[in-house]
Amino acid sequence: MAERPGWHGIPPSADRYVAPLQLEAPTGDITEPARSPALWVELDYPDGTRRTMKGFAMAWTATTVRAQWIEYSRAREAWVDAARCRRRTLTPRPTHPA
């Protein structure tokens, strides 16, 4: 029997995803970098819970950040208050000799 390509196992459930509270998308003076800095972002949810997610700053203004993170195997984005974000340091992975 030939191996089938694609997903193997039970796929993650997208119906459990609840979007966090977010700000309106700003207009004007938005910085979109060539390389998105890594960050920690605190997200508030409609049920009152708060989660800190590992993500990236995709764009920003003086007071807001468009954060991107992975949740339920999909990239998610939200505009959040810049005070809810802090820089995250990425550790370089060791390279293997050729």
Side-chain angles (χ1 to χ4, degrees):
M1 178 186 257
E3 189 174 316
R4 296 182 310 176
W7 186 271
H8 298 283
I10 300 171
S13 178
D15 65 344
R16 290 183 286 176
Y17 176 71
V18 175
L21 302 175
Q22 56 186 301
L23 303 174
E24 292 287 325
T27 58
D29 294 330
I30 298 172
T31 300
E32 294 188 40
R35 293 181 56 111
S36 299
L39 57 77
W40 293 104
V41 59
E42 290 181 23
L43 300 170
D44 290 322
Y45 289 84
D47 67 358
T49 60
R50 177 177 290 171
R51 293 177 54 191
T52 301
M53 302 297 284
K54 182 170 33 175
F56 293 90
M58 305 306 288
W60 58 81
T61 68
T63 58
T64 60
V65 174
R66 189 175 79 218
Q68 183 181 75
W69 67 98
I70 302 295
E71 193 170 356
Y72 293 109
S73 299
R74 294 188 182 180
R76 311 293 183 171
E77 287 189 353
W79 281 99
V80 298
D81 188 304
R84 307 301 305 275
C85 301
R86 64 186 189 279
R87 291 292 296 260
R88 179 171 60 94
T89 303
L90 296 178
T91 305
R93 294 182 180 207
T95 57
H96 297 283

